[in-house]
Amino acid sequence: MIKQFAYLALVSLFISCNSDENQPDCSAVSCMEPTIIINLLDSATNENIIIKNNIPEDAIIINDTSETPLNFHLSEPNGLLLISKRDAIATLDIRLNNEVISNISYKTSAPNTDACCDFGSLTDVIITEHTFDIENNTITIYL
């Protein structure tokens, strides 16, 4: 009897997980956490600053407005910074070797689709003192 009850409960759980036929079942999908990708380029040479100057990950600090360090990962092959996006609206600064090189403010839109792992797009991006481009949540900053 206990086995039958457990089986019934398990089947009911799977049936109720995706009750809306128009929404995808994201329960089995493993999404990467929401991130902002930053590419820091030398404006004269278009080379990545981090690779060009051999800047190690421990020489990079990314803080929010309360000076709280944000989690990030340095992609070694291409010098991209993958910054964990904790909030839909934020301001942060990027420091290389203890020098602030850029301040970034942004907002995040609502998800663009009903697809799993859609965390929205960057909007209202403001970067002081530098030109920049945005494509697919990647911000390229020309220093």
Side-chain angles (χ1 to χ4, degrees):
M1 181 73 167
I2 292 176
K3 287 183 182 180
Q4 290 172 339
F5 180 76
Y7 179 74
L8 182 61
L10 186 61
V11 169
S12 297
L13 177 66
F14 283 119
I15 290 172
S16 66
C17 282
N18 191 13
S19 60
D20 186 353
E21 294 298 320
N22 295 326
Q23 298 294 320
D25 179 8
C26 297
S27 62
V29 177
S30 178
C31 297
M32 189 173 107
E33 71 178 325
T35 59
I36 300 170
I37 302 169
I38 304 289
N39 188 14
L40 302 171
L41 295 183
D42 181 314
S43 59
T45 64
N46 277 344
E47 291 180 83
N48 181 281
I49 296 286
I50 295 169
I51 292 174
K52 177 181 175 182
N53 297 309
N54 294 318
I55 299 172
E57 189 168 342
D58 61 355
I60 303 167
I61 300 171
I62 302 171
N63 290 330
D64 62 13
T65 54
S66 66
E67 294 296 316
T68 302
L70 298 176
N71 291 330
F72 74 94
H73 172 71
L74 173 61
S75 177
E76 297 281 335
N78 54 20
L80 297 177
L81 298 172
L82 293 90
I83 305 167
S84 299
K85 186 169 37 167
R86 295 189 307 206
D87 301 312
I89 299 172
T91 299
L92 52 97
D93 63 69
I94 299 173
R95 298 172 191 210
L96 299 180
N97 298 319
N98 290 320
E99 179 185 342
V100 175
I101 60 155
S102 187
N103 295 320
I104 302 169
S105 296
Y106 67 87
K107 293 181 183 176
T108 305
S109 71
N112 301 314
T113 67
D114 288 335
C116 301
C117 306
D118 182 351
F119 299 113
S121 299
L122 292 174
T123 63
D124 301 328
V125 175
I126 298 171
I127 298 174
T128 56
E129 301 178 22
H130 301 290
T131 59
F132 64 96
D133 294 321
I134 302 172
E135 185 176 327
N136 298 326
N137 283 343
T138 299
I139 303 172
T140 299
I141 304 171
Y142 300 93
L143 304 173

